[in-house]
């Protein structure tokens, strides 16, 4: 593992901020274990993806410029979501392609930005960690992380070091769960068909827990699992790796 | 419809934000056409000729063609006769009027009833030669011409191709070089890779959709 | 062709409720998808070939006028004719005139998406010429009087029982007691019927997978051999193709052919790849007496100058739809026009307008699987996003969506306000949902909760908790 102590800014993501703060704390814990100093810039809201994917380039640029400002000066920007990390590192430079004032900054910002799992393994050289989780888990590869950023083996490598955890590969793990941001509410019937296929595949693995690296996909899958009466729990992979699994799983109630 | 032509070309140029290609570019493009540079050739077929022949056989068999290797042209009539017997086919074969095929002594198998010429759709078995064969995908190359009617390649239920091992090349590009050396582009060049097939009913693969149900290759070792 | 693209959502609902269609679509993942992956894995050069394919097409498009003129000159040199059609109307009329020149009664047809695009069959029928589709899948859907639902597997949505019904109805000589239960029996029946049609036809019409400038050849790729019978037996062969099908040389075509079948069906090579150059030569024993190529523009020349020009690299392999989870859920007919799947979601707004086709580029999760498998590396999600931007600029998106987006943008630009409002809402939702951990329904979230629960927030935002712990906010802070 690298010896210098880099300054890392956590891009929390709006879903983690609003719905599942424990993922943010898990990310901080993992980054600290990886020898980083972690900050959370206050002036962050959203990565701008809802606007970008809705065809609203103007608002997307405004928000993107604000994010780039807020994260000025850090060695790295780390994101516990492949989707948001993809937005920051792949699409920001694209947004400012024709904007000479911002193009270089956007590219520089993109170069410093990583998805959490990729950062831990590829940049910090983490090969394993000290965590335990009793259960059979399966893993869904979220689309953006997988196809935009190549996040595939990193979470599996880290999960392999978790004591008590058995990973059962999910057939069709690379197929979209049907979340797609606003897609799931704009085209609910199609989205339902997709997430239905996904949760059926998850059930068939016999796993008791499904993990993924994106809260959007997880909320979609968890919401379908609970709706269909499944007892399979859904968690962000960072929660398990950081040993922060005392909270109820996504969509799971408080014990009475 | 030359007005349509000119208008379309004008729109193409407008989209490309330029006029007709300038002389320098035209010369470059002409050179690319006449030089027809090769791109990436899969390493798979880059092996000695004997191994290319083996690869051809392996790839052809993988797509449900059958291959019978014989040691010399003298073995061809029996190979054809045996094939007919094996599939309970009659003695009639419709043969391409090809010099090399005609040089074979077909009377060695007196039961064969050989007629020559294109097919009108009534023939059960055709026997043709090939121009070449491409090892990389087990593909036969046949082309139209006086000695090679195209209908023989598609109408009969059984297509028997008599191929000499020396005709096997590694990649498609090797076949193009040979074809260019042979003269002008024939009317039809047929790359044939296994028998006719379809997956159009419930994605179930079935052989013999419209073209031949069987493709049988008699491979004559000629060094 | 009739367009129902506007009703995409309704079409999709109907498709989702169609159990036969759903079982047909489920087979794609174990068929096309697995086969493509295996074929790509067997060829170490596959990824490099994709780069090369992209470059060949880009080079050709950059000099499209030159290559089209060269193609035309070489077709003429081989004794053939080239006809330029700016619009579908032009193309139909050109084809009709050629058919009439020999007083054609029937024409056989190989599978051609361009023929679908110009609505050729209906037009020929209106003019008392009977078009007969010869690709088995196309033949089936022609009998069923419906459009293709996939560009390489046009009848992918049809069950074998439905094929049997169509044959029993159309083939009046067929013994009603004959069993057509098995696919093989269906194939044999179609083969027998179509065999005579090939021999009787006056004109054969095919599409073209490629046109080759160097030689003036049109290329068709089939597994069935139907295209070859279609173009070999009648007096006249007409190949109808759009402008962007041209490539410079036989080597360039070979490079693209290495990608086509592997991407489409996972085959190493299709059964038949045929290069046609001009009509029958004086010494030829068979082949058509006339050879015509109809070059269709229909907006493509203009498209070349736009931000979506990369779509012109498409070689119509169908890999994007085979791998698309949305196509896999709703099938091809839901898209409502000729080209379904991701390629259709870009082409359709291009060719029939953004307003008509507004849904298609929106009905994508941007999962990126299409781009990941496209042999021509067409950035399909990016091009779909382009049409979302166009719809947004032209205010074609629904008012509620625009209002929601406006509200979001207002808050997202104001971190202080955002944190305050989010904290408030989340606190309330967290308290309400704490015990069960989820909501089965919520006002304003019915799109979500109709089919799935909404997991409840944990209670306080991350930012609130971080602030409460005096977490670091910046370097040295």
């Amino acid at each position: 593992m690298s010896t210098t102590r880099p300054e890392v800014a956590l891009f929390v993501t709006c879903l983690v901020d609003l719905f599942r703060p424990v993922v943010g704390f898990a990310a901080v814990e993992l980054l600290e274990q990886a020898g980083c100093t972690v900050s959370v810039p206050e002036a962050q809201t959203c990565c701008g993806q809802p606007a970008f994917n809705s065809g609203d380039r103007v608002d997307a640029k405004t928000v993107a410029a604000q994010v780039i400002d807020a994260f000025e000066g850090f060695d790295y920007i780390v994101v516990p979501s492949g989707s948001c990390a993809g937005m920051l590192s792949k699409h920001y430079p694209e947004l400012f392609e024709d904007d000479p004032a911002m193009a270089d900054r956007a590219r520089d910002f993109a170069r410093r930005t990583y998805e959490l799992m990729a950062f831990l393994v590829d940049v910090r050289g983490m090969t394993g960690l000290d965590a335990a989780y009793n259960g059979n888990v399966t893993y869904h590869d979220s689309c953006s992380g997988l196809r935009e950023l190549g996040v595939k083996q990193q979470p599996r490598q880290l999960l392999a070091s978790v004591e008590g955890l058995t990973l059962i590969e999910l057939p069709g793990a690379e197929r979209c769960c049907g979340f797609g941001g606003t897609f799931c509410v704009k085209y609910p019937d199609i989205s339902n068909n997709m997430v239905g296929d996904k949760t059926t595949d998850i059930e068939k693995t016999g796993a008791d827990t499904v993990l993924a690296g994106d809260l959007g996909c997880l909320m979609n899958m968890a919401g379908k699992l609970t709706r269909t009466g499944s007892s399979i729990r859904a968690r962000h992979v960072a929660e398990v790796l950081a040993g922060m699994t005392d909270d109820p799983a996504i969509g799971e109630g408080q014990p009475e | 419809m030359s007005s349509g032509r000119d208008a379309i070309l004008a729109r193409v140029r407008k989209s490309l934000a330029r006029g007709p290609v300038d002389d320098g570019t035209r010369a470059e493009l002409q050179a690319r056409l006449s030089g027809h540079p090769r791109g990436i050739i899969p390493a798979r077929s880059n092996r000695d000729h004997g191994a290319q022949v083996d690869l051809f056989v392996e790839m052809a068999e993988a797509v449900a063609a059958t291959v019978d290797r014989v040691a010399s042209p003298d073995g061809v009539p029996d190979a054809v006769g045996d094939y007919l017997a094996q599939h309970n086919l009659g003695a009639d074969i419709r043969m391409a009027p090809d010099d090399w095929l005609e040089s074979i002594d077909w009377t060695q198998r007196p039961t064969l009833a050989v007629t020559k010429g294109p097919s009108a759709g009534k023939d059960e078995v055709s026997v043709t030669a090939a121009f070449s064969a491409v090892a990389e995908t087990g593909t036969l190359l046949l082309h139209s011409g006086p000695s090679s009617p195209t209908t023989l390649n598609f109408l009969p239920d059984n297509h028997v191709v008599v191929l000499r091992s020396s005709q096997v090349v590694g990649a498609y590009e090797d076949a193009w070089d040979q074809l260019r050396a042979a003269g002008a582009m024939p009317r039809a060049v047929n790359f044939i890779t296994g028998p006719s097939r379809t997956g159009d009913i419930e994605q179930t693969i079935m052989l013999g959709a419209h073209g031949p149900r069987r493709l049988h290759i008699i491979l004559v070792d000629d060094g | 062709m009739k367009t129902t693209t506007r009703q995409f959502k309704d079409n999709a609902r109907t498709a989702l409720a169609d159990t036969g269609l759903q079982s047909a679509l489920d087979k794609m993942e174990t068929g096309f998808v697995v086969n493509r992956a295996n074929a790509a894995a067997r060829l170490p050069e596959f990824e490099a070939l994709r780069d090369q394919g992209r470059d060949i097409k880009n080079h050709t498009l950059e000099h499209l006028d030159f290559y089209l003129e060269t193609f035309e000159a070489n077709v003429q040199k081989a004794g053939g004719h080239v006809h330029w059609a700016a619009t579908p109307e032009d193309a139909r009329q050109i084809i009709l005139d050629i058919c009439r020149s020999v007083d054609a009664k029937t024409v056989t047809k190989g599978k051609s998406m361009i023929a679908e695009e110009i609505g050729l069959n209906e037009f020929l029928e209106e003019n008392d010429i009977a078009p007969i589709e010869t690709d088995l899948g196309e033949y089936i859907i022609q009998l069923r009087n419906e459009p293709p639902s996939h560009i390489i597997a046009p009848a992918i949505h049809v069950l074998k029982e439905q094929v049997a019904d169509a044959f029993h109805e159309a083939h009046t000589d067929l013994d009603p007691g004959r069993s057509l239960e098995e696919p093989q029996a269906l194939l044999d029946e179609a083969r027998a019927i179509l065999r005579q049609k090939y021999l009787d036809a006056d004109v054969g019409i095919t599409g073209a997978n490629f046109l080759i400038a160097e030689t003036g050849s049109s290329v068709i790729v089939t597994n069935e051999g139907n295209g070859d019978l279609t173009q070999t037996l009648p007096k006249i062969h007409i190949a109808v193709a759009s402008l962007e099908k041209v490539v410079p040389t036989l080597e360039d075509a070979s490079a693209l052919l290495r990608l086509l079948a592997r991407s489409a069906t996972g085959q190493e090579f299709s059964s038949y790849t045929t290069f046609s150059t001009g009509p029958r030569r004086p010494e030829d024993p068979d082949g058509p007496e006339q050879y015509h190529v109809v070059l269709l523009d229909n907006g493509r020349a203009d498209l070349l100058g736009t931000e979506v020009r990369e779509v012109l690299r498409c070689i119509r392999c169908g890999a994007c739809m085979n791998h698309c989870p949305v196509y896999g859920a709703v099938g091809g007919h839901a898209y409502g026009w000729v080209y379904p799947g991701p390629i259709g979601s870009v082409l359709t707004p291009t060719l029939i307008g953004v307003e008509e086709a507004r849904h298609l580029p929106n009905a994508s999760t941007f999962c990126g699987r299409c781009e990941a498998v496209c042999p021509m590396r067409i950035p399909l999600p990016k091009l779909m996003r382009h049409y979302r931007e166009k719809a947004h600029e032209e205010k074609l998106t629904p008012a509620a969506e625009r209002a929601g987006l406006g509200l979001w943008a207002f808050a997202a630009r104001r971190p202080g306000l955002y944190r305050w409002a989010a904290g408030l809402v989340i606190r309330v939702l967290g308290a309400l949902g704490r015990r069960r951990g989820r909501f089965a329904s919520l006002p304003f979230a019915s799109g979500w909760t109709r089919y799935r629960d909404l997991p409840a927030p944990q209670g306080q935002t991350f930012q609130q908790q971080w602030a409460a712990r005096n977490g670091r906010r910046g370097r040295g802070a």
Side-chain angles (χ1 to χ4, degrees):
Chain A
M1 203 175 283
S2 183
T3 46
T4 53
R5 197 166 179 88
E7 291 274 349
V8 170
L10 182 70
F11 185 87
V12 183
T13 81
C14 45
L15 287 179
V16 168
D17 182 39
L18 303 178
F19 281 86
R20 202 148 178 90
V22 66
V23 176
F25 289 106
V28 172
E29 167 64 25
L30 290 168
L31 288 166
E32 286 176 353
Q33 281 182 28
C36 306
T37 302
V38 184
S39 302
V40 182
E42 194 167 14
Q44 55 178 304
T45 55
C46 169
C47 66
Q49 200 172 170
F52 185 56
N53 285 348
S54 298
D56 179 0
R57 218 178 164 89
V58 175
D59 280 325
K61 278 175 90 162
T62 309
V63 173
Q66 192 176 292
V67 172
I68 292 171
D69 277 343
F71 287 79
E72 195 66 53
F74 289 97
D75 298 326
Y76 297 106
I77 299 95
V78 175
V79 193
S81 152
S83 173
C84 310
M87 178 71 193
L88 268 51
S89 64
K90 298 288 166 197
H91 298 301
Y92 277 16
E94 200 180 305
L95 269 177
F96 295 107
E97 235 162 30
D98 305 323
D99 183 343
M102 281 297 292
D104 284 344
R105 287 188 68 202
R107 275 195 293 272
D108 171 63
F109 173 83
R111 266 195 298 274
R112 291 182 283 128
T113 301
Y114 288 88
E115 186 277 337
L116 176 63
M117 296 297 122
F119 181 76
L120 294 174
V121 174
D122 301 342
V123 179
R124 299 303 295 164
M126 199 182 241
T127 52
L129 26 67
D130 192 18
Y133 185 81
N134 266 329
N136 295 321
V137 310
T138 192
Y139 191 87
H140 165 73
D141 293 287
S142 294
C143 299
S144 303
L146 176 71
R147 279 180 277 268
E148 288 189 335
L149 307 172
V151 179
K152 175 83 186 176
Q153 58 83 25
Q154 301 92 327
R156 287 173 176 76
Q157 185 185 329
L158 296 180
L159 285 170
S161 72
V162 175
E163 211 186 300
L165 181 148
T166 306
L167 180 69
I168 307 167
E169 282 295 346
L170 173 64
E174 300 190 354
R175 218 169 50 227
C176 180
C177 72
F179 172 62
T182 54
F183 171 85
C184 67
V185 288
K186 281 188 197 165
Y187 299 93
D189 303 304
I190 302 172
S191 174
N192 175 50
N193 179 280
M194 290 161 68
V195 71
D197 286 350
K198 178 60 70 179
T199 52
T200 304
D201 288 345
I202 293 170
E203 300 261 13
K204 280 190 200 150
T205 63
D208 51 59
T209 306
V210 56
L211 303 179
D214 262 90
L215 195 50
C217 315
L218 282 162
M219 287 174 64
N220 184 39
M221 294 186 291
K224 190 67 184 176
L225 286 167
T226 57
R227 173 63 59 92
T228 52
S230 169
S231 60
I232 296 173
R233 290 181 293 275
R235 289 187 185 277
H236 193 286
V237 61
E239 298 174 38
V240 171
L241 294 176
M244 295 188 174
T245 53
D246 291 342
D247 287 330
I250 300 165
E252 192 182 40
Q254 291 283 355
E256 295 291 324
Chain B
M1 295 273 307
S2 73
S3 67
R5 173 189 194 277
D6 295 345
I8 290 168
L9 289 171
R11 276 200 293 278
V12 168
R13 290 177 186 128
K14 183 169 176 244
S15 285
L16 294 171
R18 60 164 171 75
V21 289
D22 58 58
D23 290 347
T25 309
R26 180 172 293 270
E28 276 170 35
L29 297 176
Q30 292 286 9
R32 190 185 187 285
L33 284 174
S34 49
H36 44 78
R38 292 179 171 203
I40 298 162
I41 312 270
R44 170 193 289 183
S45 68
N46 183 14
R47 43 174 96 184
D48 69 46
H49 188 257
Q52 285 179 335
V53 175
D54 293 342
L55 176 64
F56 169 77
V57 172
E58 179 194 329
M59 297 305 287
E61 287 179 339
V63 288
T66 49
V67 182
D68 184 5
R69 296 182 80 151
V70 300
S72 77
D74 293 342
V76 172
D78 273 338
V80 173
D82 293 350
Y83 172 80
L84 298 181
Q86 186 195 340
H87 294 286
N88 290 322
L89 297 164
D92 297 329
I93 58 171
R94 187 72 171 168
M95 199 167 85
D98 174 89
D99 287 348
W100 185 75
L101 285 179
E102 287 175 346
S103 75
I104 293 171
D105 179 12
W106 292 89
T107 59
Q108 292 174 70
R109 186 85 172 202
T111 48
L112 290 175
V114 181
T115 59
K116 291 170 197 166
S119 177
K122 303 290 181 212
D123 309 295
E124 212 169 11
V125 182
S126 64
V127 176
T128 73
F131 177 78
S132 67
V134 182
E136 74 169 289
T137 46
T139 299
L140 294 160
L141 191 162
L142 281 71
H143 68 70
S144 59
S147 62
S148 177
T150 306
T151 41
L152 293 182
N153 306 344
F154 295 100
L155 279 171
D157 274 13
N158 299 273
H159 184 197
V160 179
V161 179
V162 186
L163 178 74
R164 283 161 285 166
S165 59
S166 62
Q167 293 179 295
V168 174
V169 298
Y172 312 124
E173 287 81 349
D174 299 327
W176 293 133
D177 282 352
Q178 290 185 352
L179 193 64
R180 286 194 184 98
M185 189 78 176
R187 181 193 68 77
V189 174
N190 299 118
F191 278 23
I192 299 176
T193 312
S196 162
R197 67 189 63 215
T198 184
D200 273 351
I201 298 174
E202 296 197 354
Q203 300 178 58
T204 309
I205 302 296
M206 295 179 285
L207 300 182
H210 295 287
R213 297 174 194 271
R214 298 193 195 96
L215 176 67
H216 184 63
I217 300 165
I218 297 173
L219 182 59
V220 183
D221 277 317
D222 67 342
Chain C
M1 169 177 168
K2 200 166 132 277
T3 309
T4 65
T5 303
R6 225 177 253 278
Q7 292 96 57
F8 174 76
K9 278 188 154 182
D10 295 332
N11 297 348
R13 251 191 299 279
T14 308
L16 288 165
D18 182 340
T19 50
L21 174 66
Q22 291 301 315
S23 75
L25 293 170
D26 286 347
K27 291 185 186 151
M28 279 199 314
E29 197 73 26
T30 49
F32 286 143
V33 169
V34 171
N35 294 340
R36 180 213 169 264
N38 291 340
R42 280 194 301 267
L43 196 67
E45 297 88 352
F46 193 74
E47 293 306 310
L49 282 165
R50 291 174 66 194
D51 290 339
Q52 174 183 269
R54 173 200 59 206
D55 295 346
I56 289 171
K57 278 287 194 177
N58 281 348
H59 167 83
T60 313
L61 292 171
E62 196 56 49
H63 306 97
L64 186 60
D65 52 338
F66 171 83
Y67 285 120
L68 287 171
E69 288 177 308
T70 306
F71 171 76
E72 179 189 42
N74 285 322
V75 171
Q76 289 165 348
K77 208 189 284 178
H81 307 272
V82 174
H83 310 264
W84 302 70
T87 65
E89 294 75 30
D90 293 349
R92 293 194 299 251
Q93 192 60 46
I94 291 164
I95 293 167
L96 179 63
D97 290 345
I98 298 169
C99 291
R100 281 189 170 155
S101 72
V102 289
D103 204 16
K105 299 286 182 294
T106 67
V107 307
T108 41
K109 281 186 66 214
K111 202 175 79 56
S112 159
M113 295 311 294
I114 298 299
E116 297 288 340
E117 184 178 324
I118 65 176
L120 184 59
N121 285 359
E122 298 85 331
F123 181 75
L124 290 175
E125 281 165 8
E126 283 163 21
N127 287 281
D128 301 318
I129 294 171
I132 296 145
E133 294 290 351
T134 61
D135 172 86
L136 179 59
E138 288 281 349
Y139 179 66
I140 291 166
I141 60 170
Q142 187 182 26
L143 294 184
R144 287 165 55 86
N145 197 22
E146 59 184 359
S149 69
H150 188 290
I151 63 173
I152 65 157
I156 197 167
H157 59 286
V158 186
L159 300 175
K160 63 180 194 284
E161 294 76 18
Q162 296 171 311
V163 178
D165 290 347
F167 284 5
H168 275 297
E169 191 174 325
H171 302 172
T172 44
D173 292 341
L174 182 61
D175 175 0
R178 186 171 147 204
S179 166
L180 291 177
E181 264 176 43
E182 289 309 311
Q184 188 64 50
L186 292 166
L187 175 60
D188 291 343
E189 169 64 12
R191 180 181 171 105
I193 292 281
L194 285 167
R195 182 50 68 98
Q196 196 54 44
K197 309 276 189 196
Y198 291 119
L199 296 165
D200 294 344
D202 304 298
V203 175
I205 301 176
T206 69
N209 291 84
F210 305 102
L211 305 171
I212 300 178
E214 173 197 6
T215 54
S217 311
S218 58
V219 184
I220 60 165
V221 179
T222 78
N223 277 316
E224 298 184 1
N226 65 306
D228 289 282
L229 291 170
T230 298
Q231 67 183 25
T232 304
L233 297 172
K235 285 191 282 288
I236 297 181
H237 172 205
I238 305 173
V240 46
S242 48
L243 305 179
E244 80 280 13
K245 289 284 182 278
V246 71
V247 296
T249 64
L250 293 167
E251 278 71 10
D252 293 315
S254 304
L256 299 176
L257 283 165
R258 287 195 176 95
L259 292 164
L260 180 59
R262 291 185 173 95
S263 299
T265 55
Q267 290 171 280
E268 294 280 327
F269 215 55
S270 300
S271 299
Y272 302 110
T273 300
T274 296
F275 299 72
S276 301
T277 313
R280 173 202 292 225
R281 309 288 156 80
E283 65 281 12
D284 280 352
D286 51 20
E289 289 157 21
Q290 292 180 36
Y291 172 78
H292 298 264
V293 179
V294 178
L295 283 176
L296 176 73
D297 176 1
N298 197 24
R300 289 168 175 80
D302 291 337
L303 172 57
L304 186 60
T306 69
E307 286 156 293
V308 297
R309 72 185 286 182
E310 288 177 278
V311 80
L312 293 173
R313 289 204 298 266
C314 176
I315 57 172
R316 305 286 188 270
C317 69
C320 62
M321 57 199 75
N322 294 342
H323 290 76
C324 176
V326 174
Y327 179 93
V330 302
H333 286 159
Y335 290 77
W337 196 58
V338 181
Y339 303 99
I343 189 67
S345 296
V346 177
L347 266 182
T348 309
T350 308
L351 296 176
I352 70 172
V354 183
E355 191 180 359
E356 184 76 34
R358 189 188 67 79
H359 276 302
L360 303 190
N362 276 289
S364 163
T365 62
F366 283 163
C367 81
R369 213 171 169 206
C370 49
E371 183 176 358
V373 298
C374 174
M376 294 292 110
R377 299 204 188 280
I378 300 170
L380 289 156
K382 180 179 156 189
L383 302 184
M384 283 185 241
R385 189 182 291 110
H386 168 79
Y387 279 115
R388 294 187 187 185
E389 285 168 6
K390 226 168 156 165
H392 183 81
E393 279 163 26
E394 292 171 19
K395 303 203 190 311
L396 297 171
T397 46
E401 186 186 322
R402 298 180 70 80
L405 198 60
L407 194 66
W408 167 88
F410 183 83
R413 284 195 306 264
R414 294 166 178 77
L417 169 75
Y418 175 90
R419 273 198 306 282
W420 174 78
L424 208 68
V425 173
I426 289 310
R427 195 182 296 258
V428 173
L429 283 181
L432 285 173
R434 188 172 179 75
R435 205 180 52 80
R436 280 200 70 223
R438 57 189 177 267
F439 301 98
S441 72
L442 261 188
F444 309 113
S446 62
W448 178 282
T449 55
R450 189 184 313 161
Y451 293 116
R452 48 179 113 51
D453 296 333
L454 180 68
Q458 289 186 306
Q460 273 192 320
T461 67
F462 178 87
Q463 289 284 16
Q464 286 171 325
Q465 296 183 48
W466 189 255
R469 296 180 191 191
N470 287 318
R472 282 168 68 92
R473 288 303 192 179
R475 291 191 81 129

